[in-house]
Amino acid sequence: MGKSQHFEKDLILILDFGSQYNQLIARRVREQQVYCRLLPYKTSLEEIKKLGPKGIIMSGGPSSVYEPDAPQCDPAIFSLNIPILGICYGMQLMIKQLGGKIYGSSKREYGKSELTINDACAIFDGIPNCTIVWMSHGDSASELPKGFRQIGNTSNSQHAAVANIGKGLYGFQFHPEVVHSREGNKMIGNFLFSICRCSGDWTMKSFIESSLEKIRIQVGEERVILGLSGGVDSSVAAVLLHEAIGDQLTCVFINNGLLRRDEAEKVNRVFREHFKINLHYADRSDYFLNALEGITDPERKRKVIGEKFIRVFEEEMLKIGDAKFLAQGTLYPDVIESVSAKGGPSATIKSHHNVGGLPDDLKFELVEPLRDLFKDEVRELGRELRMHDDIVMRQPFPGPGLAIRIIGNVTKERLEVLKEADCIVVDEIKKEGLYKEIWQSFAVLLPVKSVGVMGDERTYENTIALRAVTSLDGMTADWVRLPYEVLERISNRIINEVRGVNRVVYDISSKPPSTIEWE
Ligand code: XMP
């Protein structure tokens, strides 16, 4: 495994104290081509030593260091001779654990602040003496530990940036990872390169090289099965695995009848004909549609689809024959043992959406070649593997498919109406060049009929709701201010071209309190 050791040579460890910005810190580090991992703050000293990071970032968090249950890391990390950058809570904890004092400031500081740099040390290399940073804290340092000095201040925060330069320990009261901190990236870069001496050679090319090797070592001569959905993650995983092990990989693609128009044909064409991947295709539309008959409750729909999917998958596997491994397109955000997610909203949302997944007790060993990557890194990887933007830049599509976009009964006829309308939405959004910047744009078929006129005749037909949202991760979302002309074109085309629809409405709700999907 020589190469993979090389690949993780420059590891930066981010200790997670629960800040909402933690994944952002990881993204900022990786954007500068340095590999990093986000681990819980309680990670043991032994584990940290074993990982041998070149630097540690202690994240922010919602607690106050003097709270009885305030999260603490092992203070022995400060004696490891590894550079450490504490951000917000991370800085306060560092100061407290090293013998300084923190007080609950009466002047809380949120939002933009002007940082004055008064010590031209390495972390501020190439940064103007005065710059904008993003603050979000209530506590401040009143007394610094021995060996520390102030290196920057704001009008409300005497110790906005502190350092013990000899020991490579730095603390920022502000958040360099958020875009509003104008020179934040540069400061993180200075920490990575000047202070931790990282080399910045973690590129997608190097990732592919080491992944191919890892996959080959893990799999040996055995066969691997991958459930292909046509979405970005499973598609990129399929192509990467195929590159590593060729015909040892078989992809299983199940058509549940709830896919978008032409989706099944497209997946077959791209994977079988273009990438020459072994593809086992099973059209089980009727089976799923029969099972959904008469079911209107959203959670019931999900449950039925989930259960049937597992059964069908098992049946299809029997046809393929023995395989030792099951590959999955698990991503890094699903793997992170996040402090903030525990019991919080993201944990709940994950389980609710875990439809179309497979149970844990399958007899396979798992291969998860994307489990180190964030979503846009997966997209970059796909491009590097010469995959087309049509796949790599796809908007997310829910596992239960169009079933949760047909409010009420799912029938063949209603599916046809929705498929036609959905196709027009995607087509017009793409023509307008908006597809990539919109998180999701789609049609929903409502169980509402209303009166219209067409020619001289009165109609009594279905309503389509149009939904388009921007989002970073699906957890929160805002509706897109689509130009009137685009709305007009979509509405005209749907009403004229889709039989059975005489009204189109636009959904202008944000999440929260609404959700992205209607069911
Ligand atoms: P909501 O509607 O909860 O959706 O705001 C957030 C994101 O999750 C997707 N979604 C699902 N994905 N199975 C999935 O695989 C599901 O049951 C499911 N429900 C919602 C939704 O499309 C959005 O991206």
Side-chain angles (χ1 to χ4, degrees):
M1 292 274 281
K3 278 228 175 88
S4 11
Q5 273 157 13
H6 165 75
F7 156 61
E8 284 178 7
K9 181 183 67 177
D10 286 353
L11 171 69
I12 293 289
L13 208 61
I14 301 164
L15 288 183
D16 179 358
F17 289 92
S19 156
Q20 53 175 331
Y21 298 127
N22 283 345
Q23 294 199 15
L24 206 53
I25 303 178
R27 303 294 328 286
R28 295 286 172 257
V29 171
R30 288 179 178 206
E31 274 164 16
Q32 311 207 37
Q33 305 190 330
V34 174
Y35 181 66
C36 66
R37 286 178 62 187
L38 192 53
L39 291 182
Y41 65 87
K42 347 178 204 212
T43 306
S44 72
L45 194 67
E46 284 320 298
E47 176 74 16
I48 294 176
K49 278 192 197 157
K50 212 161 74 197
L51 290 165
K54 288 202 105 173
I56 296 174
I57 298 178
M58 295 165 67
S59 85
S63 318
S64 172
V65 285
Y66 286 115
E67 280 169 15
D69 294 331
Q72 314 244 356
C73 55
D74 189 331
I77 63 168
F78 302 114
S79 317
L80 287 176
N81 260 332
I82 298 174
I84 299 181
L85 169 63
I87 296 176
C88 202
Y89 179 84
M91 158 182 167
Q92 291 155 12
L93 184 65
M94 181 193 300
I95 288 176
K96 175 167 176 271
Q97 288 186 324
L98 289 171
K101 287 210 168 65
I102 302 294
Y103 71 106
S105 164
S106 57
K107 288 187 196 157
R108 293 186 163 252
E109 210 176 354
Y110 292 98
K112 279 183 193 171
S113 259
E114 201 165 278
L115 176 78
T116 305
I117 293 172
N118 34 42
D119 195 326
C121 54
I123 205 152
F124 290 141
D125 209 19
I127 290 169
N129 286 341
C130 228
T131 181
I132 299 296
V133 294
W134 189 261
M135 288 283 193
S136 165
H137 72 101
D139 293 351
S140 295
S142 56
E143 209 174 288
L144 297 182
K146 223 171 102 210
F148 274 77
R149 62 174 190 253
Q150 180 225 56
I151 55 173
N153 68 284
T154 65
S155 56
N156 277 335
S157 203
Q158 191 201 344
H159 296 122
V162 301
N164 178 336
I165 294 177
K167 291 208 144 70
L169 304 177
Y170 294 80
F172 288 166
Q173 187 60 75
F174 55 89
H175 288 272
E177 69 276 23
V178 304
V179 283
H180 315 286
S181 290
R182 209 172 276 165
E183 304 284 342
N185 262 352
K186 182 102 181 91
M187 294 176 195
I188 293 174
N190 285 340
F191 179 69
L192 299 175
F193 302 115
S194 309
I195 296 165
C196 302
R197 305 258 162 227
C198 293
S199 49
D201 57 2
W202 190 72
T203 60
M204 266 313 142
K205 271 204 175 70
S206 69
F207 177 85
I208 292 176
E209 252 176 58
S210 68
S211 299
L212 294 179
E213 199 177 329
K214 271 189 197 162
I215 295 168
R216 288 179 192 132
I217 290 169
Q218 187 188 1
V219 169
E221 303 288 311
E222 302 288 340
R223 290 183 61 202
V224 179
I225 305 254
L226 175 132
L228 189 65
S229 70
V232 179
D233 309 339
S234 65
S235 299
V236 173
V239 175
L240 181 66
L241 279 157
H242 184 248
E243 186 121 346
I245 55 169
D247 281 347
Q248 284 166 259
L249 171 73
T250 303
C251 293
V252 179
F253 175 51
I254 291 162
N255 183 350
N256 58 9
L258 305 166
L259 306 174
R260 284 161 293 188
R261 205 178 73 185
D262 300 333
E263 177 80 0
E265 294 72 21
K266 260 189 240 160
V267 170
N268 271 299
R269 202 170 52 238
V270 169
F271 290 92
R272 189 174 281 161
E273 291 169 25
H274 179 74
F275 285 111
K276 312 272 184 247
I277 290 178
N278 277 333
L279 182 67
H280 177 84
Y281 172 64
D283 183 355
R284 303 295 296 269
S285 309
D286 289 340
Y287 179 72
F288 279 89
L289 286 187
N290 285 337
L292 281 170
E293 206 178 305
I295 296 178
T296 53
D297 177 71
E299 289 313 305
R300 274 294 301 151
K301 281 185 187 172
R302 282 190 171 81
K303 204 155 185 284
V304 167
I305 297 167
E307 283 167 7
K308 298 298 170 202
F309 181 81
I310 292 165
R311 177 178 294 184
V312 168
F313 198 84
E314 283 172 342
E315 282 171 20
E316 296 303 324
M317 298 257 253
L318 291 178
K319 300 180 193 162
I320 301 171
D322 259 358
K324 183 170 174 195
F325 292 95
L326 179 73
Q328 288 187 335
T330 317
L331 301 192
Y332 195 44
D334 304 324
V335 178
I336 297 172
E337 244 187 274
S338 170
V339 171
S340 43
K342 252 179 217 127
S346 54
T348 333
I349 285 179
K350 259 182 209 157
S351 67
H352 155 79
H353 288 168
N354 196 12
V355 170
L358 294 165
D360 296 335
D361 57 357
L362 285 175
K363 59 184 171 53
F364 299 101
E365 282 179 39
L366 288 182
V367 188
E368 296 177 309
L370 310 181
R371 61 180 279 131
D372 275 335
L373 302 184
F374 288 103
K375 188 85 175 189
D376 33 3
E377 291 169 339
V378 172
R379 296 201 155 109
E380 202 186 326
L381 170 62
R383 287 210 196 90
E384 196 68 39
L385 291 166
R386 294 176 302 281
M387 296 174 74
H388 198 272
D389 263 11
D390 261 2
I391 304 177
V392 168
M393 294 310 293
R394 297 198 107 178
Q395 293 177 354
F397 185 68
L402 299 181
I404 55 166
R405 293 181 182 169
I406 295 177
I407 312 307
N409 253 332
V410 182
T411 62
K412 260 196 177 142
E413 295 69 39
R414 290 173 70 73
L415 262 170
E416 280 317 305
V417 171
L418 183 59
K419 279 184 194 178
E420 287 298 306
D422 177 74
C423 204
I424 292 170
V425 176
V426 174
D427 190 40
E428 289 298 330
I429 294 284
K430 279 190 175 166
K431 269 194 210 151
E432 197 62 28
L434 294 171
Y435 184 81
K436 287 183 193 169
E437 67 194 66
I438 289 178
W439 171 263
Q440 278 174 296
S441 44
F442 55 88
V444 181
L445 178 58
L446 306 188
V448 175
K449 288 202 167 191
S450 69
V451 175
V453 278
M454 269 190 178
D456 291 333
E457 291 199 25
R458 178 181 175 283
T459 58
Y460 189 58
E461 301 280 19
N462 290 299
T463 310
I464 286 283
L466 179 62
R467 183 84 165 128
V469 295
T470 48
S471 173
L472 281 179
D473 52 10
M475 303 285 292
T476 58
D478 195 11
W479 58 281
V480 180
R481 274 56 174 176
L482 284 177
Y484 282 160
E485 300 71 38
V486 178
L487 288 170
E488 183 183 22
R489 268 200 302 280
I490 294 176
S491 160
N492 280 346
R493 278 194 61 194
I494 291 179
I495 293 171
N496 287 326
E497 296 173 32
V498 183
R499 194 171 271 199
V501 178
N502 68 352
R503 197 174 292 273
V504 172
V505 296
Y506 190 39
D507 180 350
I508 52 167
S509 343
S510 60
K511 171 182 180 174
S514 303
T515 48
I516 296 176
E517 305 288 347
W518 276 46
E519 283 201 333

mmCIF file of all heavy atoms in Angstrom, residues 326-344:
data_model
loop_
_atom_site.group_PDB
_atom_site.id
_atom_site.type_symbol
_atom_site.label_atom_id
_atom_site.label_comp_id
_atom_site.label_asym_id
_atom_site.label_seq_id
_atom_site.Cartn_x
_atom_site.Cartn_y
_atom_site.Cartn_z
ATOM 1 N N LEU A 326 -20.445 -5.999 -1.815
ATOM 2 C CA LEU A 326 -21.492 -5.093 -2.263
ATOM 3 C C LEU A 326 -20.897 -3.687 -2.227
ATOM 4 O O LEU A 326 -20.375 -3.255 -1.199
ATOM 5 C CB LEU A 326 -22.686 -5.166 -1.318
ATOM 6 C CG LEU A 326 -23.846 -4.244 -1.682
ATOM 7 C CD1 LEU A 326 -24.581 -4.784 -2.904
ATOM 8 C CD2 LEU A 326 -24.817 -4.109 -0.512
ATOM 9 N N ALA A 327 -20.958 -2.985 -3.367
ATOM 10 C CA ALA A 327 -20.398 -1.635 -3.400
ATOM 11 C C ALA A 327 -21.511 -0.624 -3.184
ATOM 12 O O ALA A 327 -22.630 -0.800 -3.657
ATOM 13 C CB ALA A 327 -19.729 -1.385 -4.744
ATOM 14 N N GLN A 328 -21.199 0.438 -2.452
ATOM 15 C CA GLN A 328 -22.179 1.497 -2.229
ATOM 16 C C GLN A 328 -21.538 2.865 -2.391
ATOM 17 O O GLN A 328 -20.366 3.044 -2.117
ATOM 18 C CB GLN A 328 -22.750 1.378 -0.809
ATOM 19 C CG GLN A 328 -23.676 0.176 -0.684
ATOM 20 C CD GLN A 328 -24.390 0.122 0.659
ATOM 21 O OE1 GLN A 328 -23.906 0.657 1.643
ATOM 22 N NE2 GLN A 328 -25.527 -0.549 0.692
ATOM 23 N N GLY A 329 -22.357 3.809 -2.816
ATOM 24 C CA GLY A 329 -21.840 5.170 -3.050
ATOM 25 C C GLY A 329 -21.957 6.042 -1.812
ATOM 26 O O GLY A 329 -22.309 7.212 -1.921
ATOM 27 N N THR A 330 -21.649 5.482 -0.638
ATOM 28 C CA THR A 330 -21.700 6.262 0.605
ATOM 29 C C THR A 330 -20.733 7.444 0.532
ATOM 30 O O THR A 330 -19.593 7.280 0.108
ATOM 31 C CB THR A 330 -21.232 5.362 1.786
ATOM 32 O OG1 THR A 330 -21.834 4.094 1.616
ATOM 33 C CG2 THR A 330 -21.575 5.968 3.115
ATOM 34 N N LEU A 331 -21.178 8.619 0.981
ATOM 35 C CA LEU A 331 -20.311 9.793 0.959
ATOM 36 C C LEU A 331 -19.844 10.174 2.367
ATOM 37 O O LEU A 331 -20.398 9.716 3.358
ATOM 38 C CB LEU A 331 -21.044 10.999 0.366
ATOM 39 C CG LEU A 331 -21.590 10.877 -1.041
ATOM 40 C CD1 LEU A 331 -21.995 12.242 -1.546
ATOM 41 C CD2 LEU A 331 -20.583 10.248 -1.978
ATOM 42 N N TYR A 332 -18.871 11.069 2.418
ATOM 43 C CA TYR A 332 -18.274 11.447 3.699
ATOM 44 C C TYR A 332 -19.286 11.999 4.710
ATOM 45 O O TYR A 332 -19.265 11.616 5.880
ATOM 46 C CB TYR A 332 -17.123 12.431 3.460
ATOM 47 C CG TYR A 332 -16.227 12.598 4.656
ATOM 48 C CD1 TYR A 332 -15.806 11.492 5.384
ATOM 49 C CD2 TYR A 332 -15.813 13.853 5.087
ATOM 50 C CE1 TYR A 332 -14.999 11.627 6.497
ATOM 51 C CE2 TYR A 332 -15.007 14.004 6.191
ATOM 52 C CZ TYR A 332 -14.607 12.893 6.901
ATOM 53 O OH TYR A 332 -13.810 13.035 8.000
ATOM 54 N N PRO A 333 -20.191 12.900 4.279
ATOM 55 C CA PRO A 333 -21.155 13.425 5.259
ATOM 56 C C PRO A 333 -21.992 12.329 5.931
ATOM 57 O O PRO A 333 -22.480 12.514 7.041
ATOM 58 C CB PRO A 333 -22.042 14.352 4.433
ATOM 59 C CG PRO A 333 -21.164 14.788 3.314
ATOM 60 C CD PRO A 333 -20.312 13.592 2.989
ATOM 61 N N ASP A 334 -22.167 11.165 5.289
ATOM 62 C CA ASP A 334 -22.916 10.075 5.937
ATOM 63 C C ASP A 334 -22.058 9.320 6.938
ATOM 64 O O ASP A 334 -22.566 8.563 7.762
ATOM 65 C CB ASP A 334 -23.378 9.028 4.895
ATOM 66 C CG ASP A 334 -24.193 9.663 3.800
ATOM 67 O OD1 ASP A 334 -24.938 10.598 4.121
ATOM 68 O OD2 ASP A 334 -24.081 9.223 2.639
ATOM 69 N N VAL A 335 -20.766 9.492 6.834
ATOM 70 C CA VAL A 335 -19.840 8.710 7.645
ATOM 71 C C VAL A 335 -19.421 9.482 8.891
ATOM 72 O O VAL A 335 -19.176 8.915 9.947
ATOM 73 C CB VAL A 335 -18.559 8.408 6.818
ATOM 74 C CG1 VAL A 335 -17.546 7.645 7.640
ATOM 75 C CG2 VAL A 335 -18.903 7.667 5.551
ATOM 76 N N ILE A 336 -19.377 10.818 8.748
ATOM 77 C CA ILE A 336 -18.870 11.640 9.845
ATOM 78 C C ILE A 336 -19.702 11.400 11.091
ATOM 79 O O ILE A 336 -20.915 11.483 11.065
ATOM 80 C CB ILE A 336 -18.963 13.145 9.479
ATOM 81 C CG1 ILE A 336 -18.086 13.449 8.277
ATOM 82 C CG2 ILE A 336 -18.553 13.999 10.667
ATOM 83 C CD1 ILE A 336 -18.267 14.863 7.751
ATOM 84 N N GLU A 337 -19.004 11.122 12.156
ATOM 85 C CA GLU A 337 -19.676 10.948 13.444
ATOM 86 C C GLU A 337 -19.830 12.341 14.012
ATOM 87 O O GLU A 337 -19.049 12.781 14.842
ATOM 88 C CB GLU A 337 -18.713 10.188 14.359
ATOM 89 C CG GLU A 337 -19.177 8.839 14.797
ATOM 90 C CD GLU A 337 -18.192 8.320 15.808
ATOM 91 O OE1 GLU A 337 -17.181 7.720 15.382
ATOM 92 O OE2 GLU A 337 -18.404 8.563 16.994
ATOM 93 N N SER A 338 -20.840 13.041 13.525
ATOM 94 C CA SER A 338 -20.896 14.458 13.851
ATOM 95 C C SER A 338 -21.437 14.704 15.251
ATOM 96 O O SER A 338 -22.420 14.121 15.656
ATOM 97 C CB SER A 338 -21.764 15.168 12.829
ATOM 98 O OG SER A 338 -21.991 16.466 13.267
ATOM 99 N N VAL A 339 -20.756 15.607 15.963
ATOM 100 C CA VAL A 339 -21.190 15.971 17.303
ATOM 101 C C VAL A 339 -22.527 16.693 17.204
ATOM 102 O O VAL A 339 -23.455 16.455 17.954
ATOM 103 C CB VAL A 339 -20.145 16.898 17.954
ATOM 104 C CG1 VAL A 339 -20.667 17.464 19.251
ATOM 105 C CG2 VAL A 339 -18.856 16.150 18.163
ATOM 106 N N SER A 340 -22.629 17.579 16.212
ATOM 107 C CA SER A 340 -23.826 18.404 16.109
ATOM 108 C C SER A 340 -25.021 17.620 15.607
ATOM 109 O O SER A 340 -26.159 17.945 15.892
ATOM 110 C CB SER A 340 -23.568 19.584 15.177
ATOM 111 O OG SER A 340 -22.860 19.136 14.052
ATOM 112 N N ALA A 341 -24.754 16.548 14.847
ATOM 113 C CA ALA A 341 -25.874 15.837 14.238
ATOM 114 C C ALA A 341 -26.600 14.930 15.221
ATOM 115 O O ALA A 341 -27.744 14.592 15.016
ATOM 116 C CB ALA A 341 -25.388 15.011 13.065
ATOM 117 N N LYS A 342 -25.921 14.562 16.308
ATOM 118 C CA LYS A 342 -26.516 13.554 17.187
ATOM 119 C C LYS A 342 -27.869 13.993 17.729
ATOM 120 O O LYS A 342 -27.976 14.968 18.448
ATOM 121 C CB LYS A 342 -25.565 13.255 18.326
ATOM 122 C CG LYS A 342 -24.996 11.891 18.081
ATOM 123 C CD LYS A 342 -24.023 11.459 19.083
ATOM 124 C CE LYS A 342 -22.972 10.679 18.351
ATOM 125 N NZ LYS A 342 -21.657 11.129 18.579
ATOM 126 N N GLY A 343 -28.877 13.260 17.340
ATOM 127 C CA GLY A 343 -30.216 13.592 17.820
ATOM 128 C C GLY A 343 -30.747 14.886 17.224
ATOM 129 O O GLY A 343 -31.878 15.268 17.456
ATOM 130 N N GLY A 344 -29.938 15.574 16.483
ATOM 131 C CA GLY A 344 -30.358 16.849 15.899
ATOM 132 C C GLY A 344 -31.100 16.621 14.594
ATOM 133 O O GLY A 344 -31.367 15.478 14.235
#
